Amino acid sequence: MAAWSCLVTGAGGFLGQRIVHLLAEEKELQEIRVLDKVFKPELLEQFSKLRSKVKVTVLEGDILDKQCLREACQGISAVIHTASIINVHSITQEDSIMKVNLQGTQLMLETSAQENVPIFIYTSSLEVAGPNSYKEVVQNGHEEENRETTWTNPYPYSKKLAEKAVLAANGQTLKDGGTLSTCALRPMYIYGEGSQFLLFHMNRALKNNNTLEKFGQYSVVNPVYVGNVAWAHILALRALRDPKRAPRIQGKFYYISDDTPHQSYVDLNYNLSKEWGFSLQSGMSCPVFLAHWIAFLLEMVSFLLYPIYKYDPPFTRHLVALSNSTFTFSYKKAKQDLGYRPLFSWEEAKQKTSDWIGSLVKEHRTLKTKMQ
């Protein structure tokens, strides 16, 4: 196969950096361009070590900067677009979330067509499908159900519109007369070492005598390890580069899960951290229906205050539904079409994540000792 190159947007992020490391192992890959607004020094050091295998070009720039995108896409064979603002709490930052998640994706698609990039893979989200209510029950859902979120909260709404734009762009004519091939991947809730959501919960627990909060204990979900999501992107890229396999997946979306046991978000946090002495909060928690109505009242307060003050409620009805519903999906179609099988088992993923949590615990203890 001829030499080729790939651009990864959001390459400094939790998922993006893992995609870059797996990409470096791909045959005949000549160059990886990594684009993000800013890169941490330690990550740049990691990327520099990959240069023994492949050329790595670091580009710091804004996903909304057209000139930056043109330079990033010139001569590129494929785009993996992971750049996104992930925010399920805020209802006041709608403008910035919509700009980056939707407008940024549209600009990437336009630039790909202008610069003759034939392959575009989009990192979508489970939230494109829902859940639309805490009462909703979906077990081992699949792509043919065509589920769609009805929430207008910035994150799920922007991801839904962006995914629609990506899939609609499949078959678009490129400037040189070629054709654009697209697909989208919808990962479950992604966990693993470096997860900002896990970091948030662990830090709160560390400040509360290693006690984990119970918010979300009524959910049943199938979380997915970050390494397996990255692997699914590599397989989607291989499939779209294969003329025989590409027609099967062009313009399609795929749910990406793995063999992590179905469990609540609370149980996941506990299973990943119990080795380090974490425990679950005792006592009763707020009933879900009550949390739903409290969230509604808080949203009304935010709406009424908006002309004079931007108030973000501590939680919303969307977050209550997301955190307390039964919402699991099968990766059967990804297995059939992409040849996807998890690269990491549940035991491996759990151990890697637990080891990282252990490093947070040790860091916290060291800091606490210094302050005494």
Side-chain angles (χ1 to χ4, degrees), residues 200-228:
F200 171 80
H201 288 294
M202 293 306 131
N203 280 338
R204 285 178 71 93
L206 286 167
K207 292 174 183 176
N208 191 29
N209 198 29
N210 285 19
T211 304
L212 296 162
E213 295 174 344
K214 279 188 174 181
F215 189 80
Q217 66 175 313
Y218 302 110
S219 60
V220 179
V221 293
N222 55 332
V224 59
Y225 180 60
V226 63
N228 291 327

Short mmCIF file of all heavy atoms in Angstrom, two decimals, residues 200-228:
data_model
loop_
_atom_site.label_atom_id
_atom_site.label_comp_id
_atom_site.label_asym_id
_atom_site.label_seq_id
_atom_site.Cartn_x
_atom_site.Cartn_y
_atom_site.Cartn_z
N PHE A 200 -12.49 13.91 38.77
CA PHE A 200 -13.43 14.74 39.53
C PHE A 200 -13.99 13.97 40.72
O PHE A 200 -13.99 14.45 41.86
CB PHE A 200 -14.56 15.21 38.60
CG PHE A 200 -15.69 15.90 39.29
CD1 PHE A 200 -15.60 17.22 39.67
CD2 PHE A 200 -16.88 15.21 39.58
CE1 PHE A 200 -16.65 17.87 40.32
CE2 PHE A 200 -17.93 15.83 40.22
CZ PHE A 200 -17.82 17.17 40.59
N HIS A 201 -14.48 12.74 40.46
CA HIS A 201 -15.08 11.95 41.53
C HIS A 201 -14.05 11.50 42.56
O HIS A 201 -14.35 11.47 43.77
CB HIS A 201 -15.80 10.73 40.93
CG HIS A 201 -17.05 11.06 40.20
ND1 HIS A 201 -18.16 11.57 40.83
CD2 HIS A 201 -17.38 10.99 38.88
CE1 HIS A 201 -19.13 11.78 39.95
NE2 HIS A 201 -18.67 11.44 38.77
N MET A 202 -12.86 11.14 42.11
CA MET A 202 -11.83 10.69 43.06
C MET A 202 -11.36 11.83 43.94
O MET A 202 -11.15 11.66 45.14
CB MET A 202 -10.65 10.08 42.30
CG MET A 202 -10.97 8.78 41.59
SD MET A 202 -11.70 7.53 42.69
CE MET A 202 -13.12 7.01 41.73
N ASN A 203 -11.20 13.01 43.36
CA ASN A 203 -10.77 14.17 44.15
C ASN A 203 -11.81 14.54 45.21
O ASN A 203 -11.46 14.89 46.34
CB ASN A 203 -10.48 15.37 43.25
CG ASN A 203 -9.13 15.29 42.58
OD1 ASN A 203 -8.23 14.58 43.06
ND2 ASN A 203 -8.95 15.99 41.47
N ARG A 204 -13.08 14.46 44.82
CA ARG A 204 -14.16 14.73 45.80
C ARG A 204 -14.14 13.70 46.92
O ARG A 204 -14.32 14.04 48.09
CB ARG A 204 -15.52 14.75 45.10
CG ARG A 204 -15.77 16.00 44.29
CD ARG A 204 -17.10 15.94 43.57
NE ARG A 204 -18.23 16.06 44.47
CZ ARG A 204 -18.84 17.21 44.77
NH1 ARG A 204 -18.39 18.34 44.26
NH2 ARG A 204 -19.87 17.25 45.57
N ALA A 205 -13.91 12.44 46.55
CA ALA A 205 -13.87 11.37 47.56
C ALA A 205 -12.67 11.54 48.49
O ALA A 205 -12.78 11.32 49.71
CB ALA A 205 -13.83 10.01 46.87
N LEU A 206 -11.53 11.91 47.93
CA LEU A 206 -10.32 12.09 48.74
C LEU A 206 -10.51 13.21 49.77
O LEU A 206 -9.95 13.14 50.87
CB LEU A 206 -9.12 12.40 47.83
CG LEU A 206 -8.56 11.22 47.04
CD1 LEU A 206 -7.60 11.70 45.96
CD2 LEU A 206 -7.87 10.21 47.96
N LYS A 207 -11.28 14.22 49.41
CA LYS A 207 -11.55 15.31 50.35
C LYS A 207 -12.60 14.92 51.38
O LYS A 207 -12.82 15.65 52.35
CB LYS A 207 -12.02 16.55 49.57
CG LYS A 207 -10.93 17.17 48.71
CD LYS A 207 -11.49 18.30 47.86
CE LYS A 207 -10.44 18.87 46.94
NZ LYS A 207 -10.99 19.92 46.03
N ASN A 208 -13.25 13.77 51.14
CA ASN A 208 -14.32 13.32 52.03
C ASN A 208 -13.99 11.96 52.64
O ASN A 208 -14.82 11.05 52.67
CB ASN A 208 -15.65 13.27 51.25
CG ASN A 208 -16.85 13.06 52.15
OD1 ASN A 208 -16.86 13.46 53.32
ND2 ASN A 208 -17.87 12.40 51.61
N ASN A 209 -12.75 11.82 53.09
CA ASN A 209 -12.31 10.59 53.76
C ASN A 209 -12.49 9.34 52.90
O ASN A 209 -12.94 8.30 53.36
CB ASN A 209 -13.06 10.43 55.10
CG ASN A 209 -12.37 9.46 56.04
OD1 ASN A 209 -11.15 9.31 56.00
ND2 ASN A 209 -13.16 8.79 56.88
N ASN A 210 -12.12 9.46 51.61
CA ASN A 210 -12.19 8.35 50.65
C ASN A 210 -13.61 7.79 50.47
O ASN A 210 -13.78 6.59 50.20
CB ASN A 210 -11.25 7.21 51.06
CG ASN A 210 -9.79 7.54 50.78
OD1 ASN A 210 -9.44 8.70 50.61
ND2 ASN A 210 -8.95 6.54 50.73
N THR A 211 -14.61 8.65 50.61
CA THR A 211 -16.00 8.23 50.47
C THR A 211 -16.58 8.69 49.14
O THR A 211 -16.60 9.90 48.84
CB THR A 211 -16.85 8.79 51.63
OG1 THR A 211 -16.28 8.39 52.88
CG2 THR A 211 -18.28 8.27 51.54
N LEU A 212 -17.06 7.76 48.35
CA LEU A 212 -17.62 8.05 47.03
C LEU A 212 -19.10 8.42 47.15
O LEU A 212 -19.86 7.76 47.86
CB LEU A 212 -17.48 6.83 46.11
CG LEU A 212 -16.06 6.41 45.77
CD1 LEU A 212 -16.06 4.97 45.25
CD2 LEU A 212 -15.46 7.34 44.72
N GLU A 213 -19.50 9.46 46.43
CA GLU A 213 -20.89 9.88 46.43
C GLU A 213 -21.75 8.88 45.66
O GLU A 213 -21.27 8.22 44.74
CB GLU A 213 -21.03 11.26 45.82
CG GLU A 213 -20.34 12.35 46.63
CD GLU A 213 -20.35 13.70 45.94
OE1 GLU A 213 -20.63 13.73 44.72
OE2 GLU A 213 -20.10 14.71 46.61
N LYS A 214 -23.03 8.82 45.98
CA LYS A 214 -23.93 7.83 45.37
C LYS A 214 -24.73 8.35 44.19
O LYS A 214 -25.57 7.63 43.66
CB LYS A 214 -24.90 7.30 46.43
CG LYS A 214 -24.32 6.22 47.32
CD LYS A 214 -25.41 5.63 48.20
CE LYS A 214 -24.89 4.46 49.01
NZ LYS A 214 -25.96 3.87 49.85
N PHE A 215 -24.49 9.58 43.77
CA PHE A 215 -25.27 10.14 42.67
C PHE A 215 -25.11 9.27 41.42
O PHE A 215 -24.00 9.02 40.98
CB PHE A 215 -24.80 11.57 42.35
CG PHE A 215 -25.69 12.28 41.37
CD1 PHE A 215 -26.88 12.86 41.79
CD2 PHE A 215 -25.35 12.36 40.02
CE1 PHE A 215 -27.71 13.52 40.88
CE2 PHE A 215 -26.18 13.02 39.11
CZ PHE A 215 -27.36 13.59 39.55
N GLY A 216 -26.24 8.78 40.90
CA GLY A 216 -26.19 7.91 39.73
C GLY A 216 -26.22 6.43 40.08
O GLY A 216 -25.96 5.58 39.22
N GLN A 217 -26.60 6.11 41.31
CA GLN A 217 -26.56 4.70 41.73
C GLN A 217 -27.66 3.86 41.08
O GLN A 217 -27.58 2.62 41.09
CB GLN A 217 -26.70 4.61 43.25
CG GLN A 217 -28.06 5.07 43.79
CD GLN A 217 -28.19 4.85 45.28
OE1 GLN A 217 -27.86 3.79 45.79
NE2 GLN A 217 -28.66 5.87 45.99
N TYR A 218 -28.67 4.49 40.48
CA TYR A 218 -29.77 3.73 39.89
C TYR A 218 -29.55 3.44 38.40
O TYR A 218 -30.43 2.89 37.74
CB TYR A 218 -31.09 4.48 40.09
CG TYR A 218 -31.40 4.75 41.54
CD1 TYR A 218 -31.35 6.05 42.05
CD2 TYR A 218 -31.71 3.71 42.41
CE1 TYR A 218 -31.62 6.30 43.39
CE2 TYR A 218 -31.97 3.94 43.75
CZ TYR A 218 -31.92 5.24 44.24
OH TYR A 218 -32.18 5.48 45.56
N SER A 219 -28.42 3.82 37.88
CA SER A 219 -28.13 3.59 36.45
C SER A 219 -27.68 2.15 36.21
O SER A 219 -27.17 1.48 37.11
CB SER A 219 -27.04 4.55 35.98
OG SER A 219 -25.85 4.35 36.73
N VAL A 220 -27.88 1.69 34.98
CA VAL A 220 -27.26 0.45 34.49
C VAL A 220 -26.67 0.79 33.12
O VAL A 220 -27.41 1.07 32.18
CB VAL A 220 -28.28 -0.70 34.36
CG1 VAL A 220 -27.56 -1.96 33.84
CG2 VAL A 220 -28.95 -0.99 35.69
N VAL A 221 -25.34 0.80 33.05
CA VAL A 221 -24.65 1.21 31.82
C VAL A 221 -23.53 0.22 31.52
O VAL A 221 -23.19 -0.62 32.34
CB VAL A 221 -24.07 2.64 31.96
CG1 VAL A 221 -25.19 3.66 32.07
CG2 VAL A 221 -23.15 2.75 33.18
N ASN A 222 -23.00 0.31 30.30
CA ASN A 222 -21.83 -0.52 29.97
C ASN A 222 -20.68 0.39 29.56
O ASN A 222 -20.50 0.67 28.38
CB ASN A 222 -22.14 -1.59 28.93
CG ASN A 222 -22.74 -1.05 27.64
OD1 ASN A 222 -23.40 -0.03 27.64
ND2 ASN A 222 -22.50 -1.74 26.54
N PRO A 223 -19.91 0.86 30.54
CA PRO A 223 -18.78 1.76 30.25
C PRO A 223 -17.76 1.07 29.35
O PRO A 223 -17.73 -0.17 29.26
CB PRO A 223 -18.18 2.03 31.64
CG PRO A 223 -19.25 1.63 32.62
CD PRO A 223 -20.00 0.53 31.97
N VAL A 224 -16.93 1.88 28.68
CA VAL A 224 -15.94 1.32 27.76
C VAL A 224 -14.57 1.92 28.08
O VAL A 224 -14.46 3.11 28.36
CB VAL A 224 -16.35 1.60 26.29
CG1 VAL A 224 -16.49 3.08 26.01
CG2 VAL A 224 -15.37 0.97 25.31
N TYR A 225 -13.56 1.08 28.04
CA TYR A 225 -12.19 1.52 28.36
C TYR A 225 -11.64 2.35 27.21
O TYR A 225 -11.83 2.02 26.03
CB TYR A 225 -11.31 0.30 28.61
CG TYR A 225 -9.88 0.65 28.94
CD1 TYR A 225 -9.57 1.43 30.05
CD2 TYR A 225 -8.83 0.21 28.13
CE1 TYR A 225 -8.26 1.75 30.35
CE2 TYR A 225 -7.52 0.53 28.42
CZ TYR A 225 -7.24 1.30 29.54
OH TYR A 225 -5.93 1.64 29.82
N VAL A 226 -10.92 3.41 27.55
CA VAL A 226 -10.42 4.36 26.55
C VAL A 226 -9.54 3.70 25.49
O VAL A 226 -9.58 4.06 24.31
CB VAL A 226 -9.67 5.52 27.25
CG1 VAL A 226 -8.44 5.04 28.01
CG2 VAL A 226 -9.30 6.62 26.26
N GLY A 227 -8.75 2.71 25.89
CA GLY A 227 -7.88 2.02 24.93
C GLY A 227 -8.67 1.27 23.87
O GLY A 227 -8.24 1.18 22.70
N ASN A 228 -9.83 0.77 24.26
CA ASN A 228 -10.68 0.05 23.28
C ASN A 228 -11.38 1.01 22.33
O ASN A 228 -11.58 0.69 21.15
CB ASN A 228 -11.70 -0.81 24.03
CG ASN A 228 -11.04 -1.98 24.73
OD1 ASN A 228 -10.05 -2.53 24.25
ND2 ASN A 228 -11.58 -2.38 25.88
#
